[in-house]
Amino acid sequence: MNMATKLTAFLLGLAVVFGAAYGVGQVTGPGTPAVETHHDDPGPANPERDAPEHEAPEHDDPGTGSHPPEHGPDR
């Protein structure tokens, strides 16, 4: 087979496949969502979800946190 025959057969095959997919899509119609979702209603309160991720410390003791000391050691 020469190149023109191969290309024509390939394009004809693509047209058949896409035509079949289009026909199946026309027969089945558009899809519908399984569950309707409403974004207007926030739903029930969830204390774990609504809590802030990081709460402020109760006191100002720097402790052994990730902040470096303000003054280095005297040498």
Side-chain angles (χ1 to χ4, degrees):
M1 287 194 338
N2 63 12
M3 184 59 105
T5 307
K6 289 180 185 180
L7 186 60
T8 303
F10 176 74
L11 291 176
L12 183 61
L14 277 179
V16 168
V17 169
F18 281 107
Y22 179 77
V24 169
Q26 291 296 316
V27 169
T28 60
T32 57
V35 177
E36 292 185 24
T37 57
H38 298 283
H39 297 286
D40 299 344
D41 183 21
N46 185 350
E48 292 178 5
R49 182 191 68 206
D50 296 336
E53 291 183 22
H54 301 285
E55 294 184 11
E58 294 180 10
H59 51 82
D60 292 336
D61 182 24
T64 59
S66 62
H67 298 287
E70 293 181 17
H71 301 290
D74 293 327
R75 293 186 189 193

